[in-house]
Amino acid sequence: MGPQGRYRPCLLLLLLPPLLPLPPVRAAAAARPNFVLVLADDLGFGDLGSYGHPSSATPHLDRLAARGLRFTDFYSSAAVCSPSRAALLTGRLPVRSGIYPGVFGPGSRGGLPLAEVTLAELLKAQGYATAMVGKWHLGYGNNGSFLPVHQGFDDFLGVPYSHDQGPCQNLTCFPPDTKCFGTCDQGAVAVPLLRGRGIVQQPVSLPGLAPLYGRFCRDFIARCARLRRPFLLYYASHHTHYPQFASREFAGTTRRGPFGDALAEFDGAVGQLLQALQDNGLENSTLVFVTSDNGPSTMRMARGGSAGHLKCGKGTTYEGGMREPALAYWPGRIAPGSFHSGTTPDQACHGLTPLTPHLPPLLFDLEADPAENYDLLQGRPGPEVLQALKDITLQKVLLEQRLQFGESQIGKGQDPALQPCCAPSCSPKPSCCRCSPQ
Ligand code: MG
């Protein structure tokens, strides 16, 4: 059976017992460790060098894998952004929070309900400093009513939703003047950059984002170190979502074209985070965890990343859509070089192939056939296979009987008047929503 329903929230992972015993003298200092949670966007299982990609330039992430724990069987909870991010921050199935179907848009009425308890709220109540940079995508609401500052984060610098959810045809994606590929979503306001709830730039300067985020993170980590305050830093990168972009430092530097440049910038950002921890003497008291919200956008072909040997990608519940690269790093607590085990796009993954519910479900042996090439129900399944299917179907029915769906937040629809605009009374919208950097 495909991975639908398999759920391994990162919250639980963060609370796993340590893999190595602490030396006694360090135990007190590490009693309240720091957490750096790094989330890539649409990064595929096969995109990193440490996961076998032959031409990716990801030295920092590869070093993280070599010195930490590399997961080979780690799943996101959904195949698209908003529900996956909701589950990551709440530890709950996204349907319980009402984050279905699909993803939030610029004018969505709904958002992650404020009653949901996030990881940031849990840690803040324990005295942690909390900050987020990057892509939120859990609702903007009425004048920013669903933003991270209302969900436990003390500070937020970033973008409310995906950077392709506004017009991008005139934006520069790669310095000095390479325009973004494609036109993105027409008819919406230009994507803004926010600090807290305020709009500081619209449209956002994409090549300027990673350097800006880097400065924010360095300052935040240094401040927490100075105050001896434990912290949660949630870095939700825009990389490697379409359309790819990168700063001058990474533009045109890799063998994988625009996708590789964006990935290299993501890798560089992780390197900067590690450097900041080291500079402030926090490397041994911080758990760094890196993963992706969902699989690669294989419908974008070369601009969409790689699921490696796994089938399909983003938007599907095949392995490529939900099995993610995942790395955990914590010197002294996680043994170096650990791993946790558990192509060519085919027709089923093509953007024009309609999504297909399977009833009876497809049945795969993911140990022997992680690429999901061989449906065990085609051919002559033996009695043990039929019994397994019966058991799985029964478990599914029982789960669905118990599962309570929250009111669909995305189903509340869109209201263009709710779209973030730096000049709220301007006209005509959405094109008048443009402000210079402050
Ligand atoms: Mg995504």
Side-chain angles (χ1 to χ4, degrees):
M1 188 177 186
Q4 198 163 27
R6 298 174 68 167
Y7 183 50
R8 292 163 171 83
C10 284
L11 178 63
L12 295 182
L13 178 88
L14 295 177
L15 300 177
L16 280 176
L19 300 178
L20 294 177
L22 265 187
V25 289
R26 285 204 204 143
R32 294 206 300 171
N34 310 302
F35 299 107
V36 175
L37 178 55
V38 181
L39 189 68
D41 196 352
D42 297 4
L43 182 70
F45 186 81
D47 275 319
L48 304 183
S50 53
Y51 280 79
H53 198 283
S55 60
S56 281
T58 52
H60 297 293
L61 289 160
D62 296 347
R63 199 154 43 241
L64 210 68
R67 296 179 181 177
L69 173 66
R70 183 176 69 91
F71 290 78
T72 61
D73 193 17
F74 185 90
Y75 290 84
S76 65
S77 62
V80 291
C81 289
S82 297
S84 171
R85 287 158 196 261
L88 178 74
L89 291 182
T90 64
R92 300 224 302 158
L93 283 171
V95 292
R96 292 190 191 275
S97 312
I99 313 304
Y100 67 91
V103 301
F104 291 112
S108 283
R109 295 185 178 91
L112 180 65
L114 300 185
E116 291 288 340
V117 179
T118 68
L119 183 58
E121 285 168 329
L122 280 179
L123 291 173
K124 191 180 168 80
Q126 299 295 316
Y128 277 66
T130 56
M132 176 190 169
V133 283
K135 169 176 149 181
W136 173 238
H137 217 177
L138 288 172
Y140 179 75
N142 191 350
N143 197 25
S145 57
F146 285 116
L147 288 174
V149 291
H150 300 293
Q151 289 285 15
F153 290 99
D154 299 327
D155 203 355
F156 168 57
L157 173 67
V159 167
Y161 36 78
S162 294
H163 61 277
D164 67 338
Q165 291 182 299
C168 67
Q169 70 270 31
N170 293 320
L171 298 183
T172 294
C173 267
F174 294 95
D177 55 6
T178 301
K179 298 299 176 205
C180 297
F181 183 81
T183 55
C184 305
D185 291 350
Q186 302 293 315
V189 297
V191 176
L193 175 68
L194 309 174
R195 180 73 185 261
R197 284 177 56 169
I199 298 174
V200 294
Q201 195 181 65
Q202 191 172 20
V204 61
S205 164
L206 295 173
L209 275 180
L212 211 55
Y213 291 169
R215 280 196 291 279
F216 178 98
C217 292
R218 279 197 300 277
D219 290 348
F220 176 72
I221 290 171
R223 192 165 61 249
C224 290
R226 204 166 51 244
L227 298 173
R228 296 179 178 278
R229 194 167 171 202
F231 65 84
L232 164 70
L233 175 59
Y234 173 37
Y235 187 113
S237 175
H238 305 269
H239 300 317
T240 49
H241 195 290
Y242 166 95
Q244 286 79 28
F245 63 86
S247 61
R248 189 177 297 274
E249 183 182 352
F250 294 95
T253 60
T254 72
R255 290 191 289 154
R256 280 189 75 183
F259 186 94
D261 294 354
L263 177 57
E265 184 166 77
F266 174 65
D267 181 76
V270 172
Q272 285 181 6
L273 287 170
L274 294 176
Q275 188 62 53
L277 293 175
Q278 218 173 57
D279 292 346
N280 289 282
L282 297 174
E283 200 178 21
N284 293 340
S285 56
T286 304
L287 170 62
V288 179
F289 192 86
V290 183
T291 188
S292 176
D293 62 342
N294 50 253
S297 187
T298 44
M299 67 184 74
R300 305 277 184 191
M301 308 305 286
R303 290 177 180 269
S306 166
H309 64 297
L310 304 179
K311 192 178 184 79
C312 296
K314 178 180 182 178
T316 78
T317 54
Y318 286 112
E319 286 293 280
M322 298 177 72
R323 194 193 289 205
E324 311 301 337
L327 306 170
Y329 177 71
W330 190 354
R333 299 294 287 262
I334 294 175
S338 315
F339 70 92
H340 191 283
S341 69
T343 61
T344 305
D346 68 29
Q347 193 57 36
C349 317
H350 196 281
L352 297 177
T353 302
L355 293 175
T356 311
H358 294 282
L359 196 65
L362 307 179
L363 188 66
F364 300 107
D365 180 347
L366 294 179
E367 291 291 329
D369 175 29
E372 297 172 281
N373 283 324
Y374 305 102
D375 178 9
L376 298 177
L377 297 183
Q378 304 294 316
R380 293 187 182 171
E384 69 284 354
V385 171
L386 293 174
Q387 185 59 45
L389 181 63
K390 213 167 146 185
D391 293 345
I392 291 167
T393 305
L394 178 62
Q395 290 301 322
K396 179 172 179 287
V397 169
L398 290 175
L399 174 69
E400 287 173 350
Q401 282 174 351
R402 289 196 304 265
L403 197 59
Q404 288 191 343
F405 279 50
E407 180 189 7
S408 172
Q409 296 292 315
I410 295 168
K412 290 181 176 177
Q414 304 260 346
D415 177 355
L418 294 177
Q419 296 186 18
C421 182
C422 55
S425 55
C426 73
S427 179
K429 286 179 178 165
S431 59
C432 66
C433 293
R434 307 179 76 82
C435 301
S436 301
Q438 294 176 2

